Every structure is written in structure tokens, then in C-alpha cells.
Amino acid sequence: NKVVELSMEQTPQSIYVPPRVEVYEGMTLEELGTKLDRSLNGVLSGKGNLIAKTCIDSGVDPYIAVAIMLHETGCRSRCSTLAVKCNNVGGQRGYNGWLKYPTLEAGIIGHVISVKAILDNYNIDTTSPTAISDLSSIYVNGHPNNPSDSWTYKVTNIKSKITGAEVARTILDKN
């Protein structure tokens, strides 16, 4: 056994492996985007990474944001005209009617920002079991303490399909 000494010029450089950065529920941004993509259809197909990044950057629960998108657009099967022609993925209205965005990406960002504004302005905690119901009071009915049971049920069901979680029995029993 002969040992050969190597100089620094002869040794291979080490390979840098970046650290794993988990951004949501133990997933990296890319993993979260891939998980969201599995639920996205129609015009929303392939937009999981954009939605994941926008939600994480804004502090919005990505599952709630996507569940609202899928309910409001119908993109679980066939996307609405509002989503396709107006790039409005959140069913958003302004003073003069439905909002129209120049691009789908702008519509996605606008939806997430809108959800974030409601969450912040009304102190809605997305980790609370009543978060979607609380959100529906403003999102659907325009004022607090008046939730839409139908919207809450539908969005909660969609969210559970995205996450793979069971829907709380109390919500199902209401309808």
C-alpha cells in the first residue's frame, strides 16, 4: 500500500449542496407548488409555483387561497368565463362590477393580496377552525359576523381535497 500525496490543485472541489428550505408544512417552495398543481385544472394548470410563492411571500395560507380559487372559478372541472376572459380567479368585484386583470398571473396575485387584506383587516387567524367561515363573512357577505354556510362548506371541502385531510364533522353536519 503506497500512499500518494495530492496537492490542493489535484484534489476535487467539494460539491455545494444548498440547505433544504422548508416554507410550509415541512415542504420546500417547489414541493408546495407541486402539491398545489395536483389540484389545479384549466387556466390554473401549472400555476402552483406562482401561487405558492405569492402566498408564502404574502403570509396567506396557500390551501385556503387555492380552495377559494377553485370554488370561485369552477376550475375543478371547467373554468368560468370570468377566469378565462378576465383572469379573475377569485370572483372579485369592484365598484363597477367584476374585476378584470391584464394577465392570469396578475389575477392570481390580485386574489392573494385581496385575501391577505381581508385576513389582516378583520384579524382572521387562518389556523383557527373557523377561519374559512370567518373569511366568508367578508368575502361573500361583505361584513363580519354573517358567514355564508354554503360557501364555507364548499371551500372547506375543496381545501380538504387539496390537503388530503378529513373535513370536520361539524361543518358537514351543518348542511
Side-chain angles (χ1 to χ4, degrees):
N1 286 335
K2 185 176 176 187
V3 176
V4 178
E5 259 187 70
L6 297 174
S7 67
M8 287 302 287
E9 290 79 27
Q10 296 171 314
T11 58
Q13 293 183 3
S14 62
I15 298 171
Y16 174 73
V17 177
R20 177 179 169 83
V21 179
E22 295 176 352
V23 297
Y24 191 78
E25 293 186 348
M27 291 179 279
T28 65
L29 195 57
E30 294 77 21
E31 291 166 343
L32 176 60
T34 298
K35 183 172 184 174
L36 297 177
D37 268 332
R38 288 193 290 264
S39 298
L40 301 173
N41 299 305
V43 296
L44 295 175
S45 290
K47 299 298 181 187
N49 285 335
L50 171 64
I51 295 167
K53 181 169 180 13
T54 304
C55 287
I56 296 304
D57 288 351
S58 302
V60 171
D61 183 309
Y63 299 145
I64 291 176
V66 169
I68 294 169
M69 282 184 210
L70 292 176
H71 173 65
E72 294 293 337
T73 62
C75 284
R76 286 177 292 154
S77 55
R78 182 181 168 135
C79 296
S80 68
T81 301
L82 188 61
V84 174
K85 295 197 183 234
C86 298
N87 300 308
N88 183 333
V89 298
Q92 298 165 284
R93 287 180 178 243
Y95 291 111
N96 295 319
W98 299 109
L99 296 181
K100 183 174 184 175
Y101 290 94
T103 65
L104 183 60
E105 291 75 12
I108 290 169
I109 293 166
H111 165 66
V112 173
I113 289 170
S114 175
V115 171
K116 175 64 172 169
I118 293 169
L119 295 172
D120 287 351
N121 289 337
Y122 293 92
N123 297 313
I124 298 171
D125 176 7
T126 56
T127 63
S128 163
T130 63
I132 293 174
S133 177
D134 296 343
L135 190 55
S136 80
S137 291
I138 308 305
Y139 204 91
V140 178
N141 293 324
H143 50 87
N145 303 317
N146 187 21
S148 166
D149 291 339
S150 172
W151 191 87
T152 298
Y153 173 78
K154 291 171 185 172
V155 171
T156 300
N157 261 338
I158 296 167
K159 180 182 177 229
S160 73
K161 288 176 183 166
I162 297 165
T163 64
E166 292 292 319
V167 178
R169 221 38 264 167
T170 54
I171 293 172
L172 288 175
D173 290 341
K174 272 187 148 181
N175 293 301

